[in-house]
Amino acid sequence: MVLITDPAIHVDDAYGTFVRGRDQDVFIKNADGSLYVGQVWPGYTVFPDWFAANTSEWWSDELQRYFDMLPIDGMWIDMNEPASFCTGSCGSNRPMNEEPTPPWLSTAPHRFINKTNRMLVPPYAINNHELELSDKTVETTAIHATGVTEYHVHNLYGHMESRATRDFLLAYRRNQRPFILSRSTFAGSGALVSHWTGDNMASWADLHVSIASVFDFGIFGIPMVGADICGFYGNTTEELCARWMELGAFYPFSRSHNAKGLAPQEPYRWASVAKATRRALRVRYALLAYMYSAYQDSVDHGWPVARPLVFEFPSSQFASNDKQMLIG
């Protein structure tokens, strides 16, 4: 059994995980030294600072308490870019234990964008569909224990959480390889965790692009990777789900997953999808020993498990082929 775990910690003086972390000074801060308080599923939340000297020890202790109650088989660490629903430290100076309005229900306008602050608005354009670089995540001006700003180390957050989580699992089960699935990764995170490509759409376009995405992450050093089969957002269709199951059975990491409140998409919902899934998974199961060898090759030599044709057939006619893939 694998359960989802987010890094954001609910701000609540009756919640032991928050109290112990606050007392041990393990959370990201604002420039004035106060706790940086964002908003995630529990409400107002703080975020572990992996640069603080004792954060890994605190994290391991909290996971130990968790596993003592429920000894799960692996961990799915999500929302670890880290994600935050509000922009900036929106929970600062708010009453303890206050439950904020979810931002998707709020009619409040976006805050004033300070274009003179180059850490908030860099002097170059990026393809960001949000209004501000810090939207949906911890603000770039937040401060870590070493004095470094989030602006400079944002992309390492998921990687550092992955390392701390893996260190705990290796100590907890000394003779077992840990299973950890992380949404946020960095180049080389594949030595620590597996990865899925995030919240995609139930569309033919996203089915297609998933192949290139799997190729990309294999090249980034993350061989155990896959997309949400049948799509995460939007309602899938019978034909789309059947075709995606036939493809997804050969992702290195193979999983169907969709958002709450959408139409169910388990393969048994349609006879044709169930039939296609059984056929594809029989082939996958027959190839498991071969795939395991491909993973060992990845460990030894750095080669991806899922590879574009051009890796084996270096010709211009295969260079742009993103509709087929090789396993090993």
Side-chain angles (χ1 to χ4, degrees), residues 20 118 162 200:
R20 288 185 290 271
R118 290 307 193 186
S162 297
N200 58 5

Side-chain angles (χ1 to χ4, degrees), residues 48-275:
D49 179 3
W50 306 109
F51 287 90
N54 53 344
T55 301
S56 292
E57 182 180 351
W58 164 82
W59 185 249
S60 292
D61 179 65
E62 296 304 324
L63 291 181
Q64 182 70 56
R65 295 168 185 265
Y66 183 24
F67 275 66
D68 285 346
M69 294 185 292
L70 184 65
I72 57 177
D73 298 299
M75 293 192 65
W76 168 9
I77 50 177
D78 192 17
M79 304 286 283
N80 58 342
E81 292 76 22
S84 180
F85 298 147
C86 66
T87 303
S89 188
C90 59
S92 291
N93 302 317
R94 304 298 301 178
M96 178 68 75
N97 308 334
E98 178 183 341
E99 296 299 328
T101 302
W104 51 88
L105 298 178
S106 173
T107 58
H110 192 281
R111 72 177 186 181
F112 171 76
I113 300 176
N114 182 5
K115 296 184 179 180
T116 63
N117 188 325
R118 290 307 193 186
M119 285 194 176
L120 292 175
V121 184
Y124 54 84
I126 64 171
N127 186 22
N128 180 12
H129 67 276
E130 304 293 344
L131 293 175
E132 192 175 337
L133 187 62
S134 296
D135 286 352
K136 304 294 180 63
T137 189
V138 168
E139 189 171 77
T140 50
T141 58
I143 304 295
H144 291 270
T146 55
V148 68
T149 61
E150 175 69 6
Y151 179 91
H152 293 292
V153 295
H154 172 82
N155 290 350
L156 292 174
Y157 195 90
H159 181 79
M160 297 181 76
E161 183 195 9
S162 297
R163 181 174 296 280
T165 304
R166 182 178 175 85
D167 286 347
F168 163 75
L169 288 173
L170 285 171
Y172 182 76
R173 295 192 180 103
R174 297 184 180 276
N175 297 317
Q176 292 186 29
R177 181 185 296 116
F179 175 81
I180 309 170
L181 176 67
S182 179
R183 189 168 84 175
S184 178
T185 53
F186 193 70
S189 289
L192 308 170
V193 295
S194 51
H195 175 70
W196 88 104
T197 57
D199 299 343
N200 58 5
M201 296 296 298
S203 69
W204 292 101
D206 279 26
L207 180 154
H208 178 197
V209 79
S210 73
I211 299 174
S213 296
V214 168
F215 291 161
D216 287 344
F217 279 93
I219 294 170
F220 300 156
I222 307 174
M224 183 72 159
V225 59
D228 284 343
I229 299 171
C230 298
F232 181 76
Y233 285 124
N235 292 322
T236 194
T237 65
E238 181 176 356
E239 183 181 3
L240 174 61
C241 200
R243 296 305 185 191
W244 211 325
M245 283 290 184
E246 290 173 334
L247 168 65
F250 300 97
Y251 293 152
F253 174 68
S254 182
R255 176 190 72 163
S256 175
H257 176 49
N258 71 330
K260 181 180 178 181
L262 299 178
Q265 60 187 36
E266 295 88 353
Y268 59 77
R269 299 281 176 173
W270 305 272
S272 65
V273 179
K275 181 179 179 181

Side-chain angles (χ1 to χ4, degrees), residues 7 9 16-29 35-36 46-60 62 143-145 157:
I9 304 300
T17 298
F18 166 71
V19 173
R20 288 185 290 271
R22 181 188 59 191
D23 292 347
Q24 295 176 53
D25 197 22
V26 303
F27 299 127
I28 295 174
K29 292 186 171 63
L35 291 178
Y36 181 95
V46 288
F47 301 86
D49 179 3
W50 306 109
F51 287 90
N54 53 344
T55 301
S56 292
E57 182 180 351
W58 164 82
W59 185 249
S60 292
E62 296 304 324
I143 304 295
H144 291 270
Y157 195 90

Side-chain angles (χ1 to χ4, degrees), residues 276-299:
T277 303
R278 291 189 191 100
R279 182 174 57 202
L281 289 180
R282 284 192 188 102
V283 179
R284 180 185 179 91
Y285 274 70
L287 293 174
L288 282 181
Y290 171 77
M291 295 180 75
Y292 195 94
S293 297
Y295 283 112
Q296 188 59 49
D297 184 56
S298 179
V299 170

